[in-house]
Amino acid sequence: MGNPLLLIWKSLFDTEDDERRHRRATLRVAAASSAQATATIFLILRRMRTPLIVLIVIFAVSVLGLTLIPGVDPSGRPARMGFFDAFYFMSYTASTIGFGELPYPFTYSQRMWVTISIYLTVIGWAYAIGSLLALLQDRAFRSALALQHFSRKVSRLREPFVLIAGYGQTGELLGHSLDALGRRIVVLDKLADRIDGLEQDSYHADVPGLTADARDPGHLAVAGLDHPSCEAVVALTDDEEANLAIVMAAALLRPELPVIARVTSRVLAERMQAFGNPGLVNPFDRFGDHLRLALRAPASYQLLTWLESGPGGELGARGTPPRDGRWVVCGYGRMGRELTADLRAAGLEVTVIDDSPEDVDEPGLLVGDGSDPWILAQADLDRAVGLVAGTDNDTTNLSLVAAARRSTSSLFIAARQNRPASAPLFASMRIDARLVPSELIAHEVYAQLSTPLLWRFLREMPARGDAWAAASSSG
């Protein structure tokens, strides 16, 4: 065995070497992405080489001709123009400014040469300007310019900021919440329309945004992953594989940086957890936990929703959901599977309805459209205590809620709202528990970033019991 002091000393240096290695890797990624943008610009600028050569040749020939063709001074003696006078004359003549003949009035030979030179320069300028306009409309050139402009804006940031990858509904809600808190954000999204809309949003501070694929570590580095003011990375893209790639890049390049990601697949969640300890938000699993808490501990659910509503929120009425009985779950997608598992874990019987089920061995499965009265009759909705309208279609979910209310008014209804435009329709219905995935994810991420102690308290609060929650909410 070796000397323990030497082993400890070696381990310290190994740790320092690992940190230096991570830092060098991050710097290499950022430098490579920046160099790529610069190389792209110079590569496209080569297209202007031919027009510029044409202009230079035309000017050179025109100036040379003026110096070689003799003129006449006022006394009638031959006079030749110098190179400076010829260049000066062609500069204001070819640019259509016009100033006059110098140093003496031209002869017919000189005027003929100037006429030819004017037409040649007009052709040269038209060729150069046309090439320049075509260059400015080139998508690669504009992308390279946007990348450089974005990189400069991020490098100038001196305040702590959050890097948000994915600016959909959830990213927009989170961005405005952080902006209201005075926190800076940097945004990446692969859709140009979302980045263009970012510039039109009413933020208190300028928000750098780039149209890019967040799975590319170079784009993450340019967006500030290696910036000392970056305090967190949030992966909110619609592609969960992309969220996994973002978690991997952040964990390998900046292992000390907090990472939060949206995920609905348990397999991908396990793969993400293999890289450090990222904060994972599964809206369907979280909603299932809320629903099960509302059934088992109404006082705890009342306190939870009150604390999650934010400052100034009112304490809602404590519900009396059914503790026993059979539930009907319409839609056996990601949400339906999570809620079915949660309800069965609570000891409740569940009947599942789906029009295109992937798992035909699901017990109690009815194949068909849940809004069909015949299917609802087959599910024996009149004897059920709860209904979950969990499809990915808002029209179907609203139809299910309306049909359930016609069947029995005492039914406990949970519904999923997919589009923000449907919010007024869902608000007009008597829904006991409504899931808006984008809002739930934004609230979860906001709680983790803004008030981590409150978020930790909310996660541990249900374990204290319903009696403790009732006493806390009443006090």
Side-chain angles (χ1 to χ4, degrees):
M1 296 181 63
N3 192 332
L5 293 178
L6 292 178
L7 294 177
I8 295 175
W9 186 261
K10 184 178 183 299
S11 65
L12 291 176
F13 273 99
D14 290 342
T15 303
E16 184 178 1
D17 290 341
D18 290 340
E19 293 178 355
R20 291 178 179 175
R21 194 178 302 112
H22 285 305
R23 177 61 60 184
R24 285 197 300 267
T26 307
L27 293 177
R28 283 197 300 268
V29 171
S33 182
S34 179
Q36 180 183 5
T38 304
T40 303
I41 293 177
F42 282 104
L43 179 63
I44 299 177
L45 285 178
R46 292 178 184 174
R47 299 183 185 179
M48 292 298 298
R49 177 171 56 187
T50 302
L52 291 176
I53 291 176
V54 170
L55 275 178
I56 293 173
V57 169
I58 292 175
F59 266 80
V61 172
S62 300
V63 170
L64 180 61
L66 286 177
T67 59
L68 295 178
I69 299 175
V72 179
D73 62 9
S75 60
R77 292 177 299 180
R80 294 182 182 275
M81 295 180 63
F83 278 100
F84 178 77
D85 291 336
F87 178 76
Y88 176 61
F89 174 80
M90 286 304 304
S91 296
Y92 66 70
T93 300
S95 58
T96 70
I97 296 175
F99 190 69
E101 299 174 348
L102 60 82
Y104 313 115
F106 287 172
T107 62
Y108 285 106
S109 299
Q110 288 177 312
R111 290 174 180 172
M112 180 60 71
W113 179 253
V114 170
T115 302
I116 297 173
S117 300
I118 290 174
Y119 284 110
L120 288 176
T121 52
V122 168
I123 295 174
W125 278 116
Y127 177 40
I129 293 175
S131 301
L132 181 60
L133 292 177
L135 177 64
L136 293 177
Q137 295 177 354
D138 187 87
R139 179 180 300 178
F141 178 73
R142 295 173 62 183
S143 299
L145 287 180
L147 179 59
Q148 281 201 334
H149 180 63
F150 173 79
S151 178
R152 286 195 299 267
K153 291 174 66 175
V154 173
S155 63
R156 293 171 184 169
L157 290 176
R158 294 298 177 264
E159 305 173 41
F161 64 88
V162 177
L163 172 56
I164 300 178
Y167 194 70
Q169 300 175 15
T170 307
E172 184 177 358
L173 289 172
L174 178 62
H176 283 285
S177 300
L178 293 175
D179 182 70
L181 198 62
R183 306 275 285 274
R184 299 293 300 272
I185 63 173
V186 175
V187 175
L188 284 178
D189 198 283
K190 63 180 181 180
L191 297 180
D193 294 342
R194 294 177 178 178
I195 299 300
D196 295 339
L198 177 67
E199 299 178 356
Q200 301 174 2
D201 287 340
S202 55
Y203 284 98
H204 294 89
D206 184 27
V207 179
L210 178 66
T211 303
D213 188 356
R215 292 175 295 184
D216 187 347
H219 293 156
L220 291 174
V222 172
L225 181 61
D226 62 324
H227 198 290
S229 297
C230 182
E231 59 179 352
V233 177
V234 183
L236 299 177
T237 69
D238 299 330
D239 185 359
E240 295 189 2
E241 289 285 349
N243 293 340
L244 172 60
I246 296 169
V247 171
M248 293 170 56
L252 296 176
L253 299 178
R254 289 289 300 275
E256 78 282 0
L257 207 61
V259 182
I260 305 175
R262 173 172 65 183
V263 63
T264 58
S265 170
R266 295 187 180 274
V267 175
L268 288 178
E270 294 177 357
R271 292 170 62 184
M272 290 181 183
Q273 290 173 347
F275 294 89
N277 188 26
L280 305 182
V281 181
N282 186 336
F284 306 124
D285 180 61
R286 188 63 173 152
F287 182 73
D289 294 340
H290 285 187
L291 183 59
R292 188 165 55 175
L293 182 64
L295 301 178
R296 186 180 67 249
S300 298
Y301 179 73
Q302 179 193 29
L303 180 60
L304 176 69
T305 54
W306 179 41
L307 294 175
E308 284 186 340
S309 62
E314 296 182 359
L315 182 64
R318 187 176 305 169
T320 57
R323 292 177 177 268
D324 300 311
R326 185 172 56 85
W327 281 69
V328 177
V329 176
C330 298
Y332 200 58
R334 294 172 298 178
M335 176 181 174
R337 293 175 184 273
E338 291 286 350
L339 292 185
T340 299
D342 289 334
L343 291 173
R344 285 176 176 162
L348 300 174
E349 182 184 356
V350 180
T351 298
V352 179
I353 301 176
D354 196 279
D355 56 352
S356 56
E358 297 179 0
D359 189 357
V360 296
D361 296 330
E362 166 63 28
L365 175 67
L366 292 177
V367 179
D369 186 359
S371 59
D372 187 349
W374 185 82
I375 295 295
L376 292 178
Q378 290 292 111
D380 200 7
L381 188 61
D382 295 337
R383 298 184 181 181
V385 298
L387 171 73
V388 177
T391 71
D392 56 1
N393 188 295
D394 286 347
T395 303
T396 302
N397 292 340
L398 290 170
S399 301
L400 287 168
V401 173
R405 286 303 183 203
R406 286 196 305 268
S407 175
T408 172
S409 59
S410 61
L411 204 63
F412 187 93
I413 294 181
R416 171 183 174 182
Q417 174 191 322
N418 299 280
R419 298 185 297 111
S422 304
L425 303 179
F426 280 89
S428 63
M429 307 287 288
R430 293 187 295 114
I431 298 175
D432 299 292
R434 180 174 56 167
L435 167 64
V436 186
S438 58
E439 293 183 3
L440 190 148
I441 297 172
H443 292 163
E444 288 279 327
V445 177
Y446 177 76
Q448 295 187 43
L449 294 177
S450 61
T451 53
L453 292 180
L454 175 61
W455 178 79
R456 180 180 177 184
F457 171 76
L458 294 177
R459 301 287 288 182
E460 299 178 358
M461 184 265 295
R464 293 181 174 270
D466 204 42
W468 178 88
S472 300
S473 58
S474 61

